Amino acid sequence: MQFFTVTDTSSVKHKVLIIPLNQKEMTQLVGQCEKCMPSISISSIIQIGHPYVIIDFSGGTWKTAIPLDQESEDGHKIGDELAIGDVLNVILTSDPHAVTALGDKAYMNVPLESILAFSFLYTADIAENYALFKMVKQPKAQ
């Protein structure tokens, strides 16, 4: 996963997460989106010792999870990079070179038709779940 912050021409900062999919997953997702415009539900969960943001497309026919405790390419945990009120722009792609980030700019290397992108608000309930995870992962007091 690539995570970076870019600044647009209006000096607005955008947080971007690139989630790589294999070709089969991308084909299934594109096929589903061609049939109907998907609605997207966002939730959070701590499962099997990890905090996730769950993205559910159209009633459970396709889902993905963002592990908030996973380090992105810059070595920081995704959950530590987000604050309540941030909007996270997510790009799903099967091309590992779809986006190049240089400094505070990002460059799209593929046509828009070859990606699926959406945004969601990092809300208090997601942040609370991540904070709970971090709290219980702390070493026990002696």
Side-chain angles (χ1 to χ4, degrees):
M1 279 192 229
Q2 285 180 279
F3 181 91
F4 49 87
T5 301
V6 294
T7 305
D8 68 18
T9 56
S10 300
S11 299
V12 175
K13 292 191 180 291
H14 302 272
K15 296 187 184 246
V16 180
L17 179 66
I18 310 294
I19 299 178
L21 302 176
N22 64 42
Q23 191 58 50
K24 181 181 177 186
E25 291 170 322
M26 192 68 186
T27 301
Q28 288 174 339
L29 183 57
V30 167
Q32 178 182 336
C33 293
E34 286 176 346
K35 293 176 189 170
C36 63
M37 184 62 65
S39 60
I40 299 174
S41 301
I42 307 292
S43 59
S44 65
I45 188 170
I46 297 174
Q47 180 179 350
I48 314 170
H50 298 280
Y52 296 96
V53 172
I54 309 298
I55 298 99
D56 185 350
F57 291 78
S58 295
T61 54
W62 195 88
K63 292 182 185 186
T64 192
I66 300 170
L68 295 175
D69 62 336
Q70 182 172 336
E71 291 182 358
S72 61
E73 290 180 351
D74 67 1
H76 297 103
K77 293 182 179 174
I78 294 167
D80 292 341
E81 302 258 3
L82 298 169
I84 296 170
D86 282 346
V87 174
L88 183 60
N89 301 284
V90 179
I91 298 174
L92 304 173
T93 180
S94 61
D95 185 334
H97 307 291
V99 179
T100 302
L102 297 171
D104 65 347
K105 303 286 182 214
Y107 302 93
M108 187 70 67
N109 301 320
V110 296
L112 286 176
E113 294 79 16
S114 64
I115 66 163
L116 189 136
F118 61 92
S119 302
F120 70 90
L121 183 65
Y122 190 76
T123 58
D125 60 320
I126 298 169
E128 182 61 32
N129 231 6
Y130 185 59
L132 174 65
F133 164 79
K134 287 175 56 175
M135 182 177 64
V136 298
K137 289 297 260 187
Q138 295 296 321
K140 294 180 178 154
Q142 300 292 339

